[in-house]
Structure formats: structure tokens, C-alpha cells
Amino acid sequence: MRLASVVGTRPQLIKAAVLQPILRARHEELFIDTGQHYDDALAGAFINELDLVPPDHQLGVGRGSATEQTAAILARLEPILSTYRPDLVIVYGDTNSTLAGAIVAAQLQLPLAHVEAGLRSFDRRMPEEVNRLIVDHLSTWAFAPTATAVDNLAAEGITQGVTLVGDLMQDLAARMSVEVRDPAVLAQIEARLADQAPGLRLRPGGYLLATVHRAENREPAALRAWADLLASVASGTRPVVLALHPGTQAALTAAGIPLAPAIRVVQPQGYRTALALQLHAAAVLTDSGGVQREAAWLGVPCLVLRSTTEWLEAVADSDGRMVVIGLDQNRAIEALARLAPESSAAADSAQRAASLRLAPAGAAAAIVDRLEAGLPA
Ligand code: UDP
């Protein structure tokens, strides 16, 4: 088969890194990067770290509103796909790149495969939710990561071409977690971060890891709320390491919101480092879908900085270790006291890393097998 894959953001590069080797071993792939994420720490670095092939086309759309980005991708992608005429187009997740890739495929009448189909927050104020709804309804193949996602699709009348394949990101986390299990990895990370966070000490269970990037958490009131929340759980003895997305950094700067000194801000990290920082943290605080699932797979306590989550199974299967707290400071303090008390966090963390056995989901092979079986009847 001849396929075209469209990616554009950090989590899409991460997902493509799992699927691409299996695709390319058996098929021809045109690899297109829209450039929705253009910062090297969010994009280019992952191509190198995760051994992706250099994209055949870089659309370079860069900064802009959702509409501007979508429009720019539509205009730049259409001539490429109409010339290449792939047998199918693959899109991942729920970004503007996903939406634009799906629309161009539909307009050119090319079959469309959506990886990570069926996720719903049931909140259309969330830009990702709108993208998912449209893309799922345009898809020929809907590859669902969870049973809930399959049910969500069925509730919208989408049953044809739906396959429950598991989570691509689990395949990668399973492979890479072996490399970062040894807590000695923290000393290397500490040395690498010395310029950005002087004096930061990373001990197993001795810090909290945070990431914040969702649009809803870039509004001034929300920025203040999570900055206060992180300040209330950070201390000299247990800092918060905040791997700060450049878009969130820009929003903080624009709103003039400072962060407390015990919140140690670092650049977005590479995949292995992000996984290692999660595994050895006392707990993770995040609004990221990917980080949330990784924390679940690693068994690390996780506070979700949103009022809803699409990943119901991750919460249900976490034995209470994953809590959706919104931006409620009291709930954060209570959850951390229960799930990651400072008195036992070091021992808990060591135990977690030593006993970690994460199996791959087999999602990449399941997707390629299903595509090879041909168009859904
Ligand atoms: N991630 C990373 N470096 C960081 C923060 C996160 O590599 O500094 C990884 C994280 O481990 C996960 C993915 O990025 O694999 C999640 O992407 P993101 O949070 O941007 O998007 P979402 O999953 O919310 O769509």
C-alpha cells in the first residue's frame, strides 16, 4: 500500500514513532509534518530521539489561531495529497493537523484512518473535542484505544470500520520504561537541567512533576488557579518540576503571573527524560492526555488538572491513584497527603521503579493488520 501520514505536534510524533517502523517495513509511506508545533523542544528533537524518518514534506504552518492553522494546512496539504494519491491517509489524535488532514482526505475522496478515535470529553468548548467529532465522522477506519472510545463512537452511530486496538503510546512506554527504570538516570537529568534549574536536586520520590498546556488552562483565571495550586504543594524539600510548554509560558508572561520559587521551571523535555521524570516522581500533576496515561501505566499517583477526562479506564484502573481534581487546591493537598506522603514517597518510588513490568498493547501491529485487511465492508 501507499500511505500518507500527517503529523504536526509532539504527541503525534510520539505516536507516529510507534507505527512508522511497522508501516515502513511493509508499505510505502509519505510522511508529512504540518509544523503545527515548530519549537525544536516540541517537534524536531523527537524526530531524532525517536528515530522517525525526516518528513518528506514540512508544511511549516507555525503559529496562528486554530482557524489560521487549519486553513494553512488545508491549502498546503491538498496539492501534496492530490499529486501523491495515496491509498489511504493516516491522522492521529485531535489537533488542528488531525482535522485538516481529515478534511483534505475527505475532499480528495481518499480513505482515512484515525488513530485514537472515539475519545470524548463531552465538552465542546475544548478545541480538541470539536476536532475529534469531525474527524471520527469522516474516518473510514476508526482505531479506538479503549472500550469507552468504541462505545462513544457507537453512541454517535459509528460502528463500521471501528477496531479496538489499544493504546499506541503504551507500546512506546513499555519499550522505553525499561531504559529509565534505574533511578541513577535522575543524576544525569539533574546534570542536564543544571543550567535551567540551578541547584535542583532530583531524588526518587523527592519531587513532583507537572505539565500544563491545554487551552482552558491558558486563560488568566485558570493560569492563576494552577500557579497557586502548584505553589501550595511545592516546597523547599519537595519542589515541583514544571516542564513548561512554550505556549503556556507565553500565556503566563502575557498575564504577568509569576511562579513561586519552589516551582522549578524547565524546558519541555525529550521523551525518555519525560518518562523518567514521571516514573521517579512522588506524583504527577498534569492536564496532558499522554502524561495521564503514562502515569497510569507506570503506577505513579496522578492529579489531573482538568474537570473531565477522556481516559475513564485510566482513572478506573488506577486503584485510586489517579484523581481528576480540576484546579482545586484543597483537593490537590488532600490527594497528595493520601497518595504521596513525604514520609514514604522515596520508598514508594523505589518500589514502583523496581517492580515495574509494563507490557506493550500491540496497537501498532493491530492497526497495520487491519489496514491490510482492506476497506471495511
Ligand atoms: N512529554 C515529553 N516532554 C515533556 C512533556 C511531555 O516528551 O516535557 C511527552 C509525554 O511523556 C507524552 C506526550 O509528550 O508522551 C504527551 O504530549 P502532550 O502533553 O503534548 O499532549 P497530549 O497527550 O495532551 O495530547
Side-chain angles (χ1 to χ4, degrees), residues 10-11 14-15 37 41-42 46 49 94-95 116 128 169 172 211 213-214 243-245 267-275 278 286-291 293-294:
R10 169 170 71 186
I14 291 172
K15 285 161 203 159
H37 277 170
L42 289 184
F46 287 89
E49 180 186 2
D94 52 21
T95 70
E116 238 174 53
E128 293 91 338
M169 290 181 72
L172 190 63
T211 78
H213 74 87
R214 302 244 88 86
L244 195 51
H245 194 290
Q267 299 285 314
Q269 299 298 303
Y271 179 82
R272 281 179 185 78
T273 303
L275 202 67
Q278 289 182 67
T286 190
D287 64 4
S288 157
V291 174
R293 276 124 75 206
E294 286 161 358

Side-chain angles (χ1 to χ4, degrees), residues 296-362:
W297 298 323
L298 300 173
V300 181
C302 179
L303 277 51
V304 180
L305 302 176
R306 293 178 50 196
S307 49
T308 56
T309 180
E310 300 77 17
W311 301 98
L312 302 181
E313 282 89 341
V315 178
D317 298 344
S318 76
D319 248 344
R321 279 189 308 271
M322 181 170 299
V323 198
V324 181
I325 63 162
L327 300 180
D328 185 328
Q329 218 180 99
N330 293 330
R331 291 195 69 191
I333 293 168
E334 179 279 317
L336 287 176
R338 192 163 43 83
L339 299 170
E342 286 205 47
S343 53
S344 66
D348 293 346
S349 167
Q351 161 68 18
R352 241 183 337 259
S355 61
L356 179 66
R357 302 281 178 280
L358 179 58

Side-chain angles (χ1 to χ4, degrees), residues 93-95 98-99 102 114 116-124 126-139 152-153 156 158 214 289 306 308-311:
D94 52 21
T95 70
T98 320
L99 175 64
H114 183 203
E116 238 174 53
L119 297 173
R120 295 290 182 270
S121 64
F122 303 100
D123 177 1
R124 290 195 189 187
M126 192 182 174
E128 293 91 338
E129 182 79 353
V130 176
N131 294 342
R132 295 171 189 142
L133 279 161
I134 299 171
V135 175
D136 281 337
H137 282 266
L138 293 177
S139 293
N152 291 339
L153 291 167
E156 291 171 24
I158 304 173
R214 302 244 88 86
R306 293 178 50 196
T308 56
T309 180
E310 300 77 17
W311 301 98

